Amino acid sequence: MSRKPDEMRLLAMARPESLDRGSRLSAEDVLTKAGDESRTRPDFRPSRPRRNVMTALRVAAAAMAVTVVTILLVRSTNPEPPASHLVSARTVLLAAANRIETTGAATGRYWHSVGQSMATGGEGRGPAGTTPKTFTYRATCTHEVWMAKSEREPSWLLVTAQSGVPLKAADEEIWRHQGAYRLGACDGPGVPGVGGVVPRAPFAVRLDDRRAAELSYPQVASIHVTTKEVMALPADPVRIKEVLQGWARRAGYQADEEFLCTGATSLLSQLPTTPRVRAALYRMLAGFPGVRNIGTITDPLGRVGRGIELSPARRLVIEESSGRLLAVQERSPDHPGTVTAWTAVTASGWTSASPKLPDAIVSGD
């Protein structure tokens, strides 16, 4: 009776149960284990055909090991886990709070922030006494906000670049029929709105002009507050929530989650809050059940950050390495996915320098 080993039997003996569980067992490990088990059999006798059997065994074991390693590599290089496996928005916001509160605090004469914004709007012009056709357009703006620490000094919005274009072909047709006039505006989440007829950039607007409510500054969620109130905000998520709710009631607004999210956006994007206050704002937002982590995204300027959806209409983009706010996006509640406005912050901090005002100054009259 032939003693030639059965190749399939040896392969079955060489396959350990751990391989079925995704073990990183190498081909050499499988081969060594098979050889050890063969030598312990009573009828084991070395013979020349063993080389062919062992060659087949090496090929099969190597193939199995390569398959396991290939599967592991494919899984490990996935750039973003499925939405169901994303960490919670609470985890992202609390991590951002921990990072940003370690930033060194500073002071100066002005809080100076630089950014870009985009907003969509409607326009239409015609002879007096008529109702002109309206069209929609998109305006982009590069701006600087200079907020004076002392209310005895003026605060300014400097618009350094500006452009506007009709959104669609039908909008452009109406616009050209009405004279193709220059489209200008500067608006966006957390940015003082300047619309209507404005000079060509660069121009400046005095923000603390009490004659125009939309230009009174600082503002939190469209509510005028004082510089002293902003500087006195508590670095505690519970207390800062109470302060924001008090401001809402003072202005006749509902002190709901939507208002708190809008107010936090204003404070994080443009106003001179301390690192500890910004951390408290993140922690306050982390406690809201409606916030959602949408994963790694790019902001309007192409910078990579973590997307946090505060509501279907409002989204933050946060830089993970520092915890700083990169951008705020507003989206249409009627057309999901359509961005109607955004503000991207490129630099912010205290300075003792003074703003260099252009010749054109817009009055609040």
Side-chain angles (χ1 to χ4, degrees):
M1 183 175 178
S2 172
R3 296 277 185 180
K4 181 178 179 180
D6 186 338
E7 293 178 341
M8 295 305 296
R9 185 166 181 268
L10 280 175
L11 284 173
M13 292 168 55
R15 181 181 178 85
E17 294 180 359
S18 60
L19 193 58
D20 294 328
R21 298 191 297 271
S23 170
R24 290 180 178 269
L25 205 60
S26 69
E28 203 61 41
D29 293 335
V30 174
L31 184 61
T32 302
K33 183 173 179 61
D36 293 342
E37 290 181 357
S38 298
R39 291 187 182 91
T40 60
R41 289 172 45 197
D43 60 346
F44 172 76
R45 292 182 184 178
S47 62
R48 296 187 64 83
R50 179 178 181 274
R51 179 176 299 174
N52 294 334
V53 174
M54 297 306 289
T55 299
L57 181 59
R58 287 180 183 272
V59 172
M64 288 187 289
V66 168
T67 300
V68 173
V69 172
T70 301
I71 292 172
L72 290 172
L73 286 175
V74 168
R75 288 177 179 171
S76 65
T77 55
N78 188 2
E80 187 68 42
S84 58
H85 295 116
L86 288 174
V87 298
S88 68
R90 175 181 174 82
T91 299
V92 174
L93 288 167
L94 292 179
N98 291 339
R99 291 188 181 99
I100 204 166
E101 71 179 347
T102 61
T103 307
T107 189
R109 289 178 56 223
Y110 283 93
W111 175 261
H112 180 215
S113 63
V114 183
Q116 296 182 40
S117 61
M118 182 282 292
T120 56
E123 184 69 79
R125 296 182 186 178
T130 64
T131 303
K133 287 186 177 180
T134 60
F135 61 90
T136 55
Y137 68 95
R138 177 178 58 251
T140 57
C141 174
T142 303
H143 52 77
E144 300 179 23
V145 174
W146 292 77
M147 178 180 164
K149 185 176 182 180
S150 170
E151 293 189 343
R152 292 188 295 271
E153 293 188 271
S155 295
W156 297 94
L157 170 68
L158 272 61
V159 176
T160 56
Q162 185 183 43
S163 63
V165 293
L167 278 179
K168 300 178 181 178
D171 297 314
E172 183 173 359
E173 183 178 352
I174 298 172
W175 172 65
R176 291 192 180 282
H177 181 74
Q178 293 179 358
Y181 47 86
R182 186 172 57 84
L183 298 172
C186 188
D187 203 355
V191 178
V194 180
V197 180
V198 294
R200 292 185 180 276
F203 64 87
V205 182
R206 181 164 173 161
L207 292 176
D208 51 359
D209 194 334
R210 300 296 187 267
R211 295 170 296 176
E214 68 275 11
L215 299 180
S216 64
Y217 205 72
Q219 291 188 14
V220 173
S222 301
I223 296 174
H224 174 66
V225 295
T226 66
T227 305
K228 185 177 180 180
E229 286 177 316
V230 173
M231 301 296 293
L233 282 169
D236 176 84
V238 175
R239 292 177 58 209
I240 204 169
K241 179 179 179 181
E242 292 172 349
V243 171
L244 290 175
Q245 289 172 327
W247 290 352
R249 287 189 289 268
R250 183 176 75 188
Y253 288 91
Q254 284 189 326
D256 55 12
E257 184 176 316
E258 181 180 357
F259 172 84
L260 293 171
C261 288
T262 305
T265 298
S266 301
L267 291 165
L268 288 167
S269 60
Q270 293 295 330
L271 296 180
T273 52
T274 66
R276 293 182 63 210
V277 168
R278 291 195 287 275
L281 290 166
Y282 279 145
R283 291 179 178 125
M284 180 191 75
L285 294 174
F288 295 156
V291 298
R292 189 169 67 93
N293 174 19
I294 58 174
T296 300
I297 62 174
T298 56
D299 77 349
L301 304 185
R303 299 173 297 179
V304 177
R306 184 65 64 169
I308 298 296
E309 188 175 270
L310 302 182
S311 70
R314 187 171 294 265
R315 178 179 293 182
L316 306 182
V317 184
I318 298 171
E319 186 178 61
E320 288 193 88
S321 61
S322 65
R324 72 187 181 101
L325 181 67
L326 296 178
V328 184
Q329 296 178 350
E330 290 182 350
R331 308 169 84 81
S332 170
D334 301 321
H335 301 88
T338 301
V339 178
T340 57
W342 54 259
T343 296
V345 182
T346 55
S348 61
W350 287 103
T351 179
S352 292
S354 297
K356 295 181 180 180
L357 301 178
D359 293 335
I361 307 292
V362 176
S363 170
D365 292 336

